[in-house]
Amino acid sequence: MVSNEFQVSNAFRLQIQGFGLTTAEIHYRLPDYRNLLQLFIWQEYDIAPDFPTLKHFLEYWEREIEGPLHSVRVAHHRLIQPSEWRAVGGVITLQ
């Protein structure tokens, strides 16, 4: 028996809801060596321009992780966008 049900990934559902792929380049200072910077790359689906998921993560970082933040650079791209269309000026039929 073949089932017509299929699983839709959570990532696809988020994209349909308007989320885009957000990448944050997080520079932070090492707890024991404050003059050294370390790099952490974070990637998740989020909504621009407010970035609530990223803000939540950065609040967690500041509250729970000893390495103080130095800087954060953010890139964002919606992977699913409204389709482009254009009017057709004529139709050619080939037989």
Side-chain angles (χ1 to χ4, degrees), residues 15-16 18-20 76-84:
Q15 291 174 49
I16 294 297
F19 285 69
H76 178 81
H77 183 70
R78 285 190 62 188
L79 302 174
I80 297 178
Q81 300 176 4
S83 62
E84 296 180 10

Side-chain angles (χ1 to χ4, degrees), residues 1-87:
M1 182 172 183
V2 177
S3 174
N4 290 335
E5 294 181 30
F6 57 92
Q7 297 276 335
V8 176
S9 73
N10 188 45
F12 181 72
R13 287 184 187 161
L14 289 173
Q15 291 174 49
I16 294 297
Q17 294 171 5
F19 285 69
L21 188 60
T22 302
T23 304
E25 182 181 277
I26 302 169
H27 292 265
Y28 65 96
R29 297 189 184 279
L30 294 177
D32 295 334
Y33 302 96
R34 298 295 175 129
N35 292 333
L36 294 178
L37 289 177
Q38 187 74 10
L39 174 65
F40 179 80
I41 301 296
W42 176 90
Q43 195 170 54
E44 190 64 59
Y45 289 98
D46 209 350
I47 296 178
D50 296 329
F51 300 110
T53 307
L54 176 58
K55 285 180 181 177
H56 180 71
F57 176 75
L58 293 176
E59 288 169 0
Y60 167 80
W61 183 295
E62 289 180 331
R63 187 177 63 249
E64 301 293 334
I65 298 178
E66 292 182 23
L69 295 174
H70 174 270
S71 60
V72 178
R73 290 187 348 167
V74 178
H76 178 81
H77 183 70
R78 285 190 62 188
L79 302 174
I80 297 178
Q81 300 176 4
S83 62
E84 296 180 10
W85 69 277
R86 58 186 169 144

